[in-house]
Amino acid sequence: MDGDRVEIDGGIMEGGGQILRVSTALSCLLGLPLRVRRIRAGRSQPGLRPQHLSGLEIIRDLCEGKLEGGEIGSTEITFTPGKIKGGTHIADTKTAGSVCLLMQVAMPCVLFAASPSELHLKGGTNAEMAPQIDYTVMVFKPIVEKFNFTFNCDIKKRGYYPQGGGEVVVQMSPVKVLSPINLTERGTVTKIYGRAFVAGALPIKLAKDMAAAAVRCIRKEIRDLYINIQPVREPDDQAFGTGSGIIVVAETSTGCLLAGSSLGKRGKNSDKVGIEAAEILLRNLKHGGTVDDSLQDQLIIFMALAKGVSRVKSGPITLHTQTAIHFAEQLTKAKFTVTKLEEEVPSKDTYIIECQGMGMINPNL
């Protein structure tokens, strides 16, 4: 069997956990045995972290596969997938490792399972270096559902750095095939809304300050829209530990959703947290793309699996996106082209990501 293993270099391009997520999900879907070397070679702590190991374990469990080298710090794994089955699966990072990244790796696989799935994902819901769960629910979910599937995401408990302790339950039914998406018209911004939250020992005043600072910052650029950022205190029974943060979402006339978000941490001024989120949102609105920089790379695997041509207009292509495209093309028959749009306003850095999807068909349905 070893002769047929696909070899993945986990140290090139973005060189992080994303290579692992894309390649193991596709390995599971396509039934390709995989060897990943030099895992997270470019990181300050190379090798598997609890976050990545949980992701590998849920994929292994989803398809009754075989995983070797699956321990913390390991820089090489081999994975031999089996048949994807539905049902209930639990993944627990036992740290503040992101539940949103666990969802990213598992979701493409359970779409092509034999029966409906329920994923219990435990760890951090609002963690650094990963999408916040609010982003996943408010932005990722409505856009990714354009590929013609739906899922339910129930936030049971929120968890923060350093101890995690959050839990979300994701329910989804399998599909026969994914439809391609066409997100090429940005439209005009019609709404700006969001939530600023505190949990645990932090006073609601922090949330109000984050929200007010974000509004002031956006007002400088966008004067004619009502900006509705709700300050909230997470109920004690729905949050574990102490945390704070903000997400601000812009909705456009064509149904695009773009966001900016930021997390509070000890010693970081709450105004600064609000301004950071607002500036990320404004930067995403400036480039004229239909998706923000965080969503860009998350759509690649779905575009690769869909049947037909998908087109997404975006801002500058992130390294995460280039990496996802590289490995999607290495493992599937999908073909991507990225074209810079010249006819747009010259100052704008706008691209079209086009993909001829492989047309993955669920063999179980």
Side-chain angles (χ1 to χ4, degrees):
M1 198 70 217
D2 266 312
D4 300 331
R5 271 191 201 281
V6 180
E7 297 282 343
I8 296 287
D9 182 346
I12 62 168
M13 301 178 81
E14 198 274 323
Q18 188 212 17
I19 294 176
L20 215 50
R21 287 189 292 279
V22 171
S23 58
T24 47
L26 289 172
S27 152
C28 168
L29 283 161
L30 301 167
L32 294 170
L34 199 63
R35 175 183 286 105
V36 188
R37 302 178 195 272
R38 299 205 313 134
I39 293 169
R40 297 180 70 251
R43 294 298 189 259
S44 56
Q45 283 187 298
L48 295 176
R49 306 301 305 141
Q51 157 74 57
H52 311 104
L53 185 54
S54 305
L56 287 173
E57 288 169 345
I58 196 168
I59 294 288
R60 176 197 64 196
D61 298 347
L62 281 171
C63 70
E64 296 177 323
K66 231 169 71 232
L67 174 66
E68 287 160 49
E71 53 261 343
I72 305 292
S74 169
T75 56
E76 183 174 323
I77 59 123
T78 59
F79 178 64
T80 312
K83 184 176 179 319
I84 307 172
K85 57 183 189 359
T88 302
H89 299 277
I90 297 169
D92 186 353
T93 65
K94 302 194 172 56
T95 62
S98 166
V99 296
C100 303
L101 295 179
L102 291 176
M103 202 185 300
Q104 249 181 54
V105 66
M107 188 173 283
C109 301
V110 294
L111 278 173
F112 292 92
S115 59
S117 303
E118 186 170 288
L119 309 174
H120 292 250
L121 309 174
K122 301 177 184 184
T125 57
N126 299 77
E128 291 282 5
M129 306 297 293
Q132 296 191 45
I133 192 67
D134 307 85
Y135 181 91
T136 300
V137 172
M138 293 164 80
V139 178
F140 172 77
K141 182 180 192 292
I143 303 297
V144 83
E145 286 181 339
K146 292 181 192 286
F147 286 100
N148 214 6
F149 69 91
T150 57
F151 68 96
N152 190 41
C153 179
D154 185 12
I155 306 167
K156 295 282 187 212
K157 200 171 228 153
R158 289 167 179 272
Y160 312 98
Y161 183 81
Q163 69 270 61
E167 181 180 5
V168 301
V169 178
V170 178
Q171 292 164 313
M172 60 198 308
S173 293
V175 293
K176 182 76 187 159
V177 66
L178 293 175
S179 306
I181 59 166
N182 189 38
L183 297 176
T184 49
E185 297 299 320
R186 227 291 292 281
T188 54
V189 178
T190 53
K191 273 187 213 160
I192 296 180
Y193 52 89
R195 78 193 293 270
F197 67 87
V198 291
L202 302 174
I204 186 74
K205 182 183 182 311
L206 287 185
K208 291 177 174 161
D209 290 350
M210 286 187 283
V215 170
R216 280 196 306 274
C217 182
I218 295 165
R219 276 266 169 272
K220 290 185 190 134
E221 306 268 335
I222 301 170
R223 291 180 188 82
D224 49 352
L225 271 184
Y226 173 61
I227 302 168
N228 179 16
I229 303 173
Q230 295 283 318
V232 291
R233 188 173 191 297
E234 308 291 8
D236 286 336
D237 60 342
Q238 286 166 36
F240 185 80
T242 297
S244 66
I246 182 171
I247 176 166
V248 194
V249 180
E251 192 173 314
T252 77
S253 53
T254 53
C256 299
L257 297 164
L258 302 96
S261 63
S262 181
L263 285 169
K265 53 171 171 262
R266 191 169 293 204
K268 189 169 168 189
N269 176 319
S270 47
D271 281 27
K272 191 172 178 253
V273 182
I275 290 165
E276 204 167 71
E279 284 176 343
I280 293 170
L281 173 65
L282 291 170
R283 190 179 70 229
N284 278 312
L285 289 175
K286 260 199 190 77
H287 59 52
T290 61
V291 296
D292 63 33
D293 301 346
S294 304
L295 193 61
Q296 223 185 72
D297 67 284
Q298 295 183 55
L299 297 178
I300 298 300
I301 191 167
F302 297 100
M303 291 168 77
L305 293 168
K307 183 176 168 44
V309 177
S310 291
R311 279 185 198 85
V312 176
K313 182 175 175 182
S314 76
I317 309 295
T318 64
L319 185 54
H320 263 107
T321 298
Q322 292 169 31
T323 306
I325 289 173
H326 176 88
F327 289 100
E329 287 191 324
Q330 185 184 340
L331 292 162
T332 70
K333 291 189 169 68
K335 195 78 206 91
F336 285 85
T337 48
V338 176
T339 319
K340 191 172 194 323
L341 287 176
E342 300 300 351
E343 75 275 10
E344 301 280 325
V345 191
S347 65
K348 289 207 168 146
D349 212 359
T350 322
Y351 298 78
I352 293 276
I353 305 170
E354 188 172 288
C355 174
Q356 175 67 58
M358 64 164 283
M360 175 83 188
I361 290 168
N362 191 334
N364 308 297
L365 295 186

